[in-house]
Amino acid sequence: MLAMVCALVGSSTWVLFASSRGLPVSTTHAIVGAITGAGIAGFGFNTVQWSGVGMIVLSWVISPIVAGLVTAGIFVFTRWLILQHKTSLNRGLNAIPYYFAVTIAINVFYIIFKGSPGLSLSKLPIGAIIGISFGIALVVFLWCNFFLKVYLRRKLENDEPLQWYHTFYIRFVSTRTHPAESIVEECKSGALDDSSDGTVNSGLAALDDTPKKLTLVQKIKAKAMAGMNHDIKESSEAVDNIHDNSTKFDAKTEQLFCTLQVLTACFSSFAHGSNDVANAIGPLTTIYYVWKHAAVDVTGTPVPAWILAYGGIAIDIGLLTYGYRVMATLGNNITFMSPSRGFSVSLGTSLTVLTCSKLGMPVSSTHCITGSTAAVGLASGGGRKSINWKIL
């Protein structure tokens, strides 16, 4: 118990310090190093399985490279198929249902294939898992083709002021115009009220700029949610030069990948939970088991559901507080990032982490996503000049 407590204190101290400085360090490898150090201090060098440690150290190099190659492949294919063409928006609209279907198929396959112990999903035959994945992907493809594609075409090509919920019944939504256009028409027809005297004061009379005093609850909420209100796009000459070396694509085409990026980010979070959180709560599970049973089970320790929930809640709190610092590093300071690049990074990282996690390799999702970010930067058109090598 003492060794695991020391491992938790040591690893959490390092990760918190690094996160406060915006350094994307690995929680998984911090835990592994802390447990190794506690084992050496408590029981000597011979008690550590150095072959296992060697595999983990090897993964420090292999996993970022593998994730980077997968991510670069996804981005280069997307650039060749859609982004580099003059008609990129139309090509993207036609391709978006296929992208959604493939992404959903991969997500569902890994969720079932990795399996939940309580649902015994991993015990299904591989054929059944593939069939379920493709069946759900087909439903998503049809919905995207008949609804989402129409919504995006009207919103991006025709610039209609549509809301997100219009997606589900877009074929029954009439053509819409911007409020500004309506005001212009009313001005032309003389329908507007002439009660204003035309001065600035008359137009701003209803506005009150006096700051309101926050209540205690509002102050606590503002403090707790402070991490969500930070702009991670820090501008500096060095970062701006790196961004300038990357190829920029059509803004409306990039918008097509926003929804896909959210989807793959959720997928990446699932991969993060299946790997990093599971490794981080390992020492806590051991502490609880020894406290409850007064024994050490070397064959395997069951993980209570409440400890998994505790780990999930803790990672959300960390995201709200220090998360923006690491987001700034990975999302802005290493290389130029756009929705199409972010989609490629999240999908490539998720594939790598979930595959290695299924194989029992304690890879770091942090290292994988850093490798993916660097790879997509190298494929962005400026080569090595598109990467901030100092931060990397």
Side-chain angles (χ1 to χ4, degrees):
M1 287 181 66
L2 178 60
M4 291 301 164
V5 169
C6 293
L8 281 176
V9 172
S11 58
S12 60
T13 301
W14 162 242
V15 172
L16 283 171
F17 171 79
S19 298
S20 68
R21 299 296 185 272
L23 302 175
V25 299
S26 168
T27 305
T28 300
H29 294 156
I31 284 287
V32 171
I35 292 175
T36 303
I40 293 172
F43 310 103
F45 280 90
N46 295 331
T47 58
V48 178
Q49 294 186 6
W50 292 107
S51 59
V53 174
M55 287 293 295
I56 294 171
V57 172
L58 192 62
S59 72
W60 296 353
V61 179
I62 295 177
S63 58
I65 293 175
V66 173
L69 291 173
V70 174
T71 299
I74 295 170
F75 178 69
V76 169
F77 175 77
T78 301
R79 186 180 63 187
W80 168 78
L81 183 67
I82 300 171
L83 298 173
Q84 66 183 14
H85 296 273
K86 293 182 179 180
T87 57
S88 60
L89 181 57
N90 186 60
R91 294 176 72 95
L93 287 167
N94 292 327
I96 206 73
Y98 295 94
Y99 270 81
F100 261 91
V102 171
T103 303
I104 288 293
I106 294 172
N107 286 1
V108 174
F109 175 81
Y110 270 99
I111 289 171
I112 299 175
F113 186 61
K114 183 169 178 59
S116 172
L119 300 176
S120 301
L121 294 176
S122 58
K123 295 181 181 179
L124 290 173
I126 188 67
I129 296 176
I130 294 175
I132 293 172
S133 302
F134 275 91
I136 295 175
L138 178 61
V139 173
V140 172
F141 172 82
L142 293 174
W143 178 78
C144 290
N145 193 57
F146 291 105
F147 291 93
L148 181 62
K149 186 168 76 171
V150 177
Y151 168 83
L152 291 173
R153 188 178 295 278
R154 288 177 57 176
K155 188 173 180 65
L156 297 177
E157 279 193 346
N158 304 336
D159 201 27
E160 293 186 36
L162 298 170
Q163 302 298 323
W164 65 269
Y165 49 81
H166 290 145
T167 310
F168 302 99
Y169 56 95
I170 188 62
R171 290 183 174 272
F172 305 99
V173 178
S174 58
T175 303
R176 305 201 169 200
T177 58
H178 284 280
E181 297 176 8
S182 301
I183 293 174
V184 171
E185 292 298 324
E186 290 179 1
C187 288
K188 290 179 179 179
S189 62
L192 289 180
D193 186 13
D194 295 330
S195 59
S196 173
D197 61 8
T199 64
V200 174
N201 290 334
S202 67
L204 301 178
L207 296 179
D208 182 12
D209 293 333
T210 305
K212 296 180 180 180
K213 189 175 181 180
L214 297 177
T215 64
L216 179 61
V217 175
Q218 290 174 327
K219 289 180 180 179
I220 294 174
K221 182 179 178 181
K223 193 70 175 177
M225 306 296 286
M228 295 184 65
N229 300 321
H230 282 270
D231 186 4
I232 66 170
K233 191 175 181 180
E234 301 174 0
S235 181
S236 66
E237 184 177 354
V239 173
D240 289 344
N241 289 336
I242 291 169
H243 289 185
D244 290 340
N245 290 323
S246 298
T247 304
K248 310 299 189 300
F249 302 105
D250 180 67
K252 289 187 175 181
T253 306
E254 288 283 3
Q255 280 187 271
L256 290 174
F257 290 90
C258 287
T259 309
L260 268 174
Q261 188 179 9
V262 172
L263 183 65
T264 52
C266 293
F267 186 26
S268 184
S269 297
F270 172 78
H272 186 67
S274 71
N275 188 70
D276 287 46
V277 175
N279 292 325
I281 65 172
L284 180 61
T285 304
T286 303
I287 292 170
Y288 175 73
Y289 186 87
V290 173
W291 171 81
K292 185 176 182 179
H293 299 279
V296 178
D297 188 358
V298 295
T299 60
T301 303
V303 183
W306 69 266
I307 291 184
L308 290 172
Y310 175 78
I313 294 171
I315 197 173
D316 289 337
I317 295 173
L319 181 63
L320 284 172
T321 52
Y322 279 154
Y324 71 93
R325 297 180 183 272
V326 180
M327 288 181 195
T329 301
L330 291 174
N332 183 69
N333 297 340
I334 291 181
T335 188
F336 174 74
M337 193 61 64
S338 63
S340 62
R341 293 171 172 88
F343 154 74
S344 304
V345 168
S346 295
L347 185 58
T349 299
S350 304
L351 288 171
T352 305
V353 171
L354 284 174
T355 302
C356 293
S357 182
K358 182 65 179 179
L359 296 174
M361 296 176 60
V363 298
S364 166
S365 58
T366 305
H367 286 186
C368 287
I369 204 164
T370 302
S372 296
T373 302
V376 86
L378 290 172
S380 289
R384 61 183 182 85
K385 293 183 179 179
S386 298
I387 300 291
N388 190 335
W389 293 103
K390 182 180 178 180
I391 291 181
L392 192 62

